[in-house]
Amino acid sequence: MTQCWRFDTPAQTLVLASRNHRLPEVVYWSAPLDEGEDLPTLVDSMYPAPTGGTLDQVQPITVCPLWIDGFTGVQGLEIRDQNGAASTLRLRYDGEDRFDGGLDLRFADADLGVLYTLTARVYADADVLALTATLNQTGPGRLAWLSAPVIPTGPRVDEVIEFAGRWCGEFQLCRSSLAPGARLRENRLGRSAHEHFPGILLPSRGATETQGEAFGITLGQSCGHRHVIETVPDGRTQVQFGPTPGQFQGTEGTAGPLYLTRSDQGFNGVSQAFHRYLRRHALIYSEPARPRPVHYNCWEAVYFDHDIETLADLADRAAQLGVERFVLDDGWFGARNDDTTSLGDWLVDLRKWPSGLGPLIEHVHARGMSFGLWFEPEMINDDSDLARKHPTWFLGPRDQVPGRHQFVLDLAIPEVSDELFSKIDAILTDHGIDYIKWDHNRVLPFPDPRQAEALYALLSRLRAKHPGVEIETCASGGGRIDFGILKHTQRVWLSDSNDGQERWQIQRGASYFIPPEIAGSHIGPRVCHTSGRTLPIGFRAAVAGSRSMGLEMNLREFTDYEAVRVRSEIAAFKERRALLHAGRLYRLEVTDKQVLAEMHVAEDGAQFVVFSGQVQPSAQGQARPVCLSGLDPSARYTIQLTNPGDIPAPLNRGPRSPLHRGEGVTLSGTVLMHHGVQFPNAYPNTIWTLTGVRQ
């Protein structure tokens, strides 16, 4: 007997099949199937014959592979008894429940008191599926490992793209071929982490940014995680994602949601689907119609040295540039003069602020800007009133190695969450604050998924009380970015690096999953504080102006020219942000390895903007044309270079073309996509900005 279930979005169909009431397997995940497809016939046709030296039946890679079913690869579930021995599970079909947009499938082992539930949700308008595994048991066993529903790779997939990184170097692509055996990446840091973004891309052979079949998978949990990509001896490959083994407490656990999408338009189709999902089903803004505001964060201007006259002057300068939100960073609370003290003491430091924060907030509001404030609620310093009052609130032992002189609070203790809610609620209630930069500057001492669940609950509680306040997730930059935290926050701080050259590449890597409107990107100081590199103001502004734009520097360092240029760039950003923040992002394919280019196309296709960045000197003497994407081949578009003043004369001798003079040029979509745009020759650290309007 075979039972089948199918899940459809416009670009994909996923088919589950269960034989003889056993756990189902994914028998098909690819292009959308016709409604009349005979699923039992499809399942039977996919059943391979056993070969020599194997068991008498080929065992399926089910959504939760188990050794009892004859599968000898990495299993998707481990329950261990009091002696540490693995339990032998026999999970069989126990029923199902349909709900609007999805299905729960239940499989049980009555003898061991174990219930496994697979939840499938369909987000058809986003082209995304979400699969979750939940385990409940009444027996004494300890849950050691649970994978989200396991996905096999397609027959034309022979490599994987993963995302690694470090502090100030997040979202680096790692491309490797599938090979026999298990490839394991395990994040034991207790949060998503710079080093281990929980997502992968699976390209079918020949897939590129713009064409071919590609698959995307990402885990929507903010705890530490493991993912396994295993090619078993018969050539089949399974993908597992779940919380780091050992994180589960007792007998219950959840792995997922695991978000899936498939595209026949290359990786751009994958990222556009993930962007649609976040925009339509995850991100909750306090004022959805309000454009994402231009930020100013004072951290790299004053650090801990808070002086109201200096900060008021910075607010004046920010407002004159066109900034819409002023953010006061670390140093306003407790006795906080450096990073060794006062985390947990969320009371205004009256030594620095004798009249409280009110005068600065009023000054900021009078300049037409909203006000934001930095917190790091999950952390505690040994030197703090909170630590002295509640020494048992630390997560882990007191003699653990600190990170940035700080430790982690155990949010799973109800009194801890209540204390944090009370202190933050008081600050928000007493002040006109519409934004929190929520930081997290050290890893957990050990993986504990209760931290993430308790964090979600605290964030939900705060936003229910203060629905007008939005929250940015920051964890030393990009240390906690995932689809789980994005259900509770409205902006991400991709990296602590304000180096435009590093940022340009980090933003490109993040764009496979993260839409531009929530990716905070700031114009940093002339000399970057994390890299020591000096970069031109036009380049720094263009990098920031391609995402959620902001500034983070001492505004007093601007020359007159730089101030005028930044004011102009902010005004240009405001003109195009509706397009940037609601359009389709395309990473463009170029033949020059020293150029990274992208374009943003309005949903109706009526306009677009292109950013083409020269990172290092090119191997060839002249710039190569950049082919655009996502246009109507038969339509005509008027394109215009917005920054012709950045063209270096030594590299561009002789008469300039109309495009390079800044004039509008009208060409067909066919020309723009197949021959491309001839940008000027450029020095390193130059970004050309091109706008296009359909005629």
Side-chain angles (χ1 to χ4, degrees), residues 389-533:
K389 184 177 180 181
H390 295 289
T392 62
W393 283 8
F394 286 64
L395 182 66
R398 291 294 294 273
D399 60 354
Q400 65 185 273
V401 177
R404 200 175 180 247
H405 309 289
Q406 65 194 53
F407 301 87
V408 183
L409 284 166
D410 189 346
L411 297 191
I413 299 173
E415 293 80 5
V416 173
S417 288
D418 288 345
E419 168 77 10
L420 294 176
F421 174 81
S422 174
K423 291 295 173 58
I424 299 171
D425 171 52
I427 294 291
L428 296 180
T429 299
D430 294 343
H431 300 86
I433 295 169
D434 83 335
Y435 165 87
I436 293 174
K437 179 181 177 182
W438 189 292
D439 215 339
H440 185 287
N441 275 308
R442 69 150 288 167
V443 300
L444 272 60
F446 52 83
D448 186 345
R450 299 176 307 160
Q451 284 290 112
E453 295 302 321
L455 170 65
Y456 293 164
L458 176 59
L459 292 172
S460 296
R461 189 178 175 188
L462 283 167
R463 292 210 74 219
K465 179 73 179 294
H466 302 279
V469 175
E470 294 186 347
I471 299 173
E472 174 182 87
T473 175
C474 172
S476 295
R480 182 168 60 192
I481 297 175
D482 56 76
F483 281 27
I485 198 70
L486 288 176
K487 291 184 177 180
H488 303 275
T489 56
Q490 294 73 44
R491 194 176 193 253
V492 303
W493 185 232
L494 283 183
S495 177
D496 278 346
S497 174
N498 278 325
D499 180 304
Q501 191 176 108
E502 293 176 344
R503 269 281 179 161
W504 190 233
Q505 300 189 58
I506 292 168
Q507 289 173 188
R508 185 179 179 90
S511 72
Y512 288 94
F513 299 91
I514 306 301
E517 67 270 23
I518 64 169
S521 185
H522 294 175
I523 302 171
R526 186 180 299 114
V527 179
C528 179
H529 293 191
T530 57
S531 71
R533 188 181 284 125

Side-chain angles (χ1 to χ4, degrees), residues 311-371:
L311 290 164
D313 178 62
L314 291 172
D316 292 343
R317 293 170 184 264
Q320 291 166 8
L321 294 171
V323 168
E324 297 160 311
R325 175 182 281 158
F326 183 97
V327 181
L328 182 65
D329 211 282
D330 195 355
W332 58 268
F333 56 92
R336 183 83 162 172
N337 294 323
D338 55 35
D339 61 8
T340 65
T341 181
S342 297
L343 284 177
D345 300 340
W346 300 111
L347 298 172
V348 177
D349 183 353
L350 296 180
R351 300 171 308 153
K352 298 178 183 179
W353 303 92
S355 299
L357 299 178
L360 177 63
I361 295 175
E362 292 171 6
H363 186 89
V364 167
H365 287 168
R367 271 59 181 174
M369 297 181 291
S370 61
F371 188 85

Side-chain angles (χ1 to χ4, degrees), residues 242-395:
T244 308
Q247 291 194 82
F248 299 106
Q249 302 295 317
T251 61
E252 299 183 353
T254 298
L258 191 68
Y259 296 96
L260 314 175
T261 191
R262 177 260 176 200
S263 166
D264 58 8
Q265 299 177 21
F267 301 127
N268 283 328
V270 168
S271 58
Q272 289 165 14
F274 283 141
H275 295 178
R276 284 193 300 271
Y277 165 75
L278 291 173
R279 287 169 172 170
R280 298 176 182 181
H281 299 285
L283 295 164
I284 302 173
Y285 297 116
S286 60
E287 298 178 58
R290 180 176 65 161
R292 300 291 85 209
V294 177
H295 276 54
Y296 174 69
N297 185 297
C298 69
W299 174 243
E300 293 196 25
V302 300
Y303 292 102
F304 297 101
D305 186 13
H306 288 196
D307 170 77
I308 189 167
E309 286 77 17
T310 298
L311 290 164
D313 178 62
L314 291 172
D316 292 343
R317 293 170 184 264
Q320 291 166 8
L321 294 171
V323 168
E324 297 160 311
R325 175 182 281 158
F326 183 97
V327 181
L328 182 65
D329 211 282
D330 195 355
W332 58 268
F333 56 92
R336 183 83 162 172
N337 294 323
D338 55 35
D339 61 8
T340 65
T341 181
S342 297
L343 284 177
D345 300 340
W346 300 111
L347 298 172
V348 177
D349 183 353
L350 296 180
R351 300 171 308 153
K352 298 178 183 179
W353 303 92
S355 299
L357 299 178
L360 177 63
I361 295 175
E362 292 171 6
H363 186 89
V364 167
H365 287 168
R367 271 59 181 174
M369 297 181 291
S370 61
F371 188 85
L373 193 62
W374 181 95
F375 286 90
E376 193 172 4
E378 298 158 81
M379 300 297 160
I380 185 171
N381 286 123
D382 240 341
D383 182 9
S384 67
D385 291 341
L386 187 67
R388 287 182 280 272
K389 184 177 180 181
H390 295 289
T392 62
W393 283 8
F394 286 64
L395 182 66

